[in-house]
Amino acid sequence: MPLRPLPLPMDASPLPARVAAVLVDGRARLAAHFARPGLPPGHGAIPSDHERVVRCLRTLRAQEPGLVRFLEWGSGLGIVAVAASLLGYDAHGIEWDDAMVHEAEQLARAHRVEVPFVAGSFVPPGSEALLDRAELTTRTVLQSDDAYDRLERDLDEFDVVFAYPWPEEEALYRRLFQRGAADGAVLVLYGQLDGVRAFRKVAGRSG
């Protein structure tokens, strides 16, 4: 079984002040981003529960301190990635929207952390066989410039990947991670119905 569920309880103790400040600032910036005049009709987002995600990432950091290099797929304004950096992760983010990448960089600078954000698709090169558009209606940008090349990292160099897929996208996200991540890496997913769940890639056929 290539992806094995990994229990990841939420740490309910108070967050470090700098992490809490990122969450407050990030929520304000997110509200302002989607309140911009002239935004196309229907252009918006349902944000993840950033605090819940960050608390679970803190649990993972405490349980497995050797998992350091972190990548957020679809990093948006960078809230989770910047908070992860303050938790001790070597955080990175990939986001297809150039404007959001710029705002994520601003958030990182405001909180005095270095988090590389790049514009592009988080789908690794060579994944064409997994992209069955006939069966999947997705908001994921499936084709773009090679964001991994700009990060100067391949997917299998990251220890932890976080993503917030739409329900119909989750199977694709799992397959992409299963195919490209290293054995032992952890995929953390957030869903509006299921909350935060984590999966470890174990040795075996990746399909």
Side-chain angles (χ1 to χ4, degrees), residues 120-141:
S121 172
F122 61 75
V123 175
S127 301
E128 290 78 9
L130 300 180
L131 306 181
D132 189 348
R133 296 175 180 80
E135 296 182 1
L136 180 69
T137 301
T138 177
R139 299 190 184 195
T140 298
V141 176

Side-chain angles (χ1 to χ4, degrees), residues 33-58:
H33 179 86
F34 289 109
R36 292 171 298 161
L39 202 66
H43 184 82
I46 302 173
S48 67
D49 186 335
H50 300 113
E51 180 172 343
R52 189 172 183 179
V53 171
V54 168
R55 288 181 177 278
C56 290
L57 290 175
R58 180 169 62 167

Side-chain angles (χ1 to χ4, degrees), residues 149-165:
D149 185 58
R150 265 176 272 138
L151 281 179
E152 299 183 343
R153 299 281 187 273
D154 292 323
L155 177 55
D156 63 7
E157 295 180 68
F158 290 96
D159 305 311
V160 181
V161 172
F162 168 68
Y164 171 28

Side-chain angles (χ1 to χ4, degrees), residues 7 10-11 22 34 51 104 107 115 118 127 138 156 160 181 193 198:
M10 185 177 68
D11 184 341
V22 168
F34 289 109
E51 180 172 343
L107 180 68
V115 179
V118 299
S127 301
T138 177
D156 63 7
V160 181
L193 297 179

Side-chain angles (χ1 to χ4, degrees), residues 15-32:
L15 290 170
R18 291 184 67 193
V19 174
V22 168
L23 297 180
V24 172
D25 189 11
R27 283 193 292 268
R29 290 171 185 258
L30 194 65

